[in-house]
Amino acid sequence: MTEITEKAKPATIYDVALKAGVSKSTVSLVIRGESNVSEEKKLLVQSAIEELDYRPSRFAQQLASHKTRSIGVVITDYKNLSYLGFLKGLREILDDAGYQVIISDLHRSPNFAEDPVDAFVSMKVDGLVLATEPAGLRTHNLDIPCVMIGKRETLVPGSDVVFNDDSTGTRLMLEHLKQLGHQRVAHLTGVGGIAINRRVAFAEHAKELGLLGSVFGEGQPTTEIGGYMGTKELLASGKTFTAIYAANDYMAAGAFSALKEAGIRVPEDVSLAGYDDSPIASEYLLKLTTVDEQGVPVGRQAASLLLERIGQHTTSAPRNISIAPTLVVRGSTAKAK
């Protein structure tokens, strides 16, 4: 016959108070790290917590403080690993400050119509980070601090903006290609504010540097399929080119596939470059020459601005902070034939 043992109930704050011989409010003060508790009582409470294996209820703490100590982050797509650097920098600062980071994508599914901004507001997050185009999201009348990552087509009123300098990054790439002897450079673009920024910068700097630039892929998504379709458009155009500069690394990956299908080698026949320095560009995968958008510093700066807003409770003017990118040269670019 099998003996069934009833699982012990988790200890409560009342159990800790009884064990330590103090009031419930004193236990709460110790858990929150308040200074107005004697060392003797702190030791008694800490000893009782350890002995009873008590785990404070985060939800109960939030109700008591009227703060969730959480930050909502909206990204476009979980598949895009270029977000990893920015999220790492964000977490470094917010973890130290005791904030939980909750991430949502845009839920591009017919079975899920929830607006992620609405969801975060209903969860009463203390701040919001938007690393996507906000058009279509219900961002009007937000009453919580918000920081946007990247210069977007739409600006959420009152938001701070932290962005990588797309113009400088694009110029670095075009200067690199020109030094390799490339004169005819094709640019793969797509939808969204960041792609537009890089397309405008490409047109400006190609002209300044005396390059013959052409643009393909307008209206395409800034994904592998967008890069693939943009490259097919380029090949069908009959235009002569010796290098391709894509709006991001994932579009460059799609370009690589289309070039391979056409029997065009990288970098022997055509040089290929991207932007963001995402994991797919690394020496272990595409070995892609790219621009490092400095995701970690961008994330750190965004988190710092958000914490300032949360702590100040002020309506000071929104700030725009630019982070300078750097060029990363790998094996996908070579001297022009």
Side-chain angles (χ1 to χ4, degrees):
M1 184 176 179
T2 304
E3 182 180 347
I4 300 176
T5 305
E6 184 179 351
K7 187 176 180 180
K9 291 182 179 179
T12 68
I13 193 169
Y14 298 99
D15 297 326
V16 173
L18 183 63
K19 183 77 175 177
V22 297
S23 67
K24 170 185 165 291
S25 59
T26 299
V27 177
S28 295
L29 290 171
V30 173
I31 291 171
R32 295 202 304 267
E34 301 290 346
S35 58
N36 56 336
V37 181
S38 69
E39 285 300 319
E40 181 184 358
K41 287 184 178 179
K42 281 183 185 178
L43 291 173
L44 286 171
V45 171
Q46 289 164 355
S47 176
I49 288 173
E50 186 175 343
E51 187 174 339
L52 296 172
D53 194 24
Y54 170 65
R55 298 180 183 275
S57 166
R58 181 180 179 85
F59 181 65
Q61 290 175 329
Q62 291 167 359
L63 287 176
S65 65
H66 305 291
K67 292 286 185 181
T68 63
R69 297 198 71 80
S70 60
I71 302 297
V73 180
V74 183
I75 62 175
T76 304
D77 191 336
Y78 285 121
K79 292 187 296 184
N80 189 341
L81 299 182
S82 64
Y83 288 112
L84 291 178
F86 141 70
L87 290 171
K88 182 177 186 294
L90 197 72
R91 287 289 302 270
E92 283 179 9
I93 301 299
L94 294 176
D95 281 357
D96 283 347
Y99 282 81
Q100 182 182 30
V101 175
I102 309 168
I103 304 168
S104 174
D105 68 355
L106 292 181
H107 301 303
R108 299 184 186 278
S109 166
N111 301 318
F112 196 101
E114 183 76 59
D115 183 305
V117 172
D118 269 357
F120 282 135
V121 170
S122 68
M123 293 166 62
K124 300 190 181 302
V125 295
D126 298 317
L128 194 63
V129 178
L130 297 180
T132 187
E133 290 291 343
L137 298 176
R138 286 189 283 275
T139 56
H140 59 284
N141 297 327
L142 276 179
D143 60 354
I144 56 174
C146 178
V147 176
M148 296 184 65
I149 303 299
K151 283 191 169 181
R152 307 284 175 175
E153 286 187 279
T154 305
L155 178 66
V156 177
S159 295
D160 295 314
V161 181
V162 182
F163 60 96
N164 145 81
D165 189 337
D166 294 311
S167 180
T168 296
T170 296
R171 185 175 182 91
L172 287 172
M173 183 59 72
L174 292 182
E175 287 175 343
H176 167 68
L177 293 174
K178 183 175 181 178
Q179 287 169 2
L180 292 174
H182 295 281
Q183 288 296 318
R184 298 177 182 272
V185 181
H187 178 56
L188 299 181
T189 188
V191 297
I194 290 177
I196 291 173
N197 297 340
R198 293 170 187 175
R199 181 166 75 238
V200 170
F202 172 80
E204 176 187 345
H205 296 306
K207 184 177 180 180
E208 289 174 356
L209 294 170
L211 302 177
L212 297 174
S214 50
V215 176
F216 296 87
E218 290 193 49
Q220 294 288 349
T222 52
T223 60
E224 300 96 323
I225 189 63
Y228 177 87
M229 296 304 295
T231 305
K232 298 289 276 188
E233 180 189 333
L234 165 61
L235 295 173
S237 73
K239 287 204 174 220
T240 303
F241 64 98
T242 60
I244 295 176
Y245 161 50
N248 65 33
D249 297 334
Y250 285 87
M251 295 195 82
F256 185 89
S257 179
L259 292 171
K260 186 176 180 181
E261 281 184 9
I264 300 172
R265 300 168 300 169
V266 175
E268 293 86 354
D269 302 321
V270 168
S271 287
L272 178 63
Y275 204 116
D276 291 339
D277 196 25
S278 55
I280 197 173
S282 74
E283 287 290 346
Y284 304 101
L285 294 170
L286 288 183
K287 298 179 173 60
L288 186 68
T289 294
T290 185
V291 176
D292 184 349
E293 64 172 352
Q294 300 296 311
V296 173
V298 166
R300 289 173 183 153
Q301 183 64 70
S304 298
L305 289 176
L306 202 57
L307 290 175
E308 282 184 37
R309 291 284 183 191
I310 292 170
Q312 289 176 351
H313 303 290
T314 63
T315 56
S316 57
R319 288 156 292 183
N320 287 267
I321 297 180
S322 173
I323 306 292
T326 57
L327 181 69
V328 181
V329 178
R330 299 192 178 101
S332 69
T333 51
K335 289 185 177 180
K337 285 189 176 180

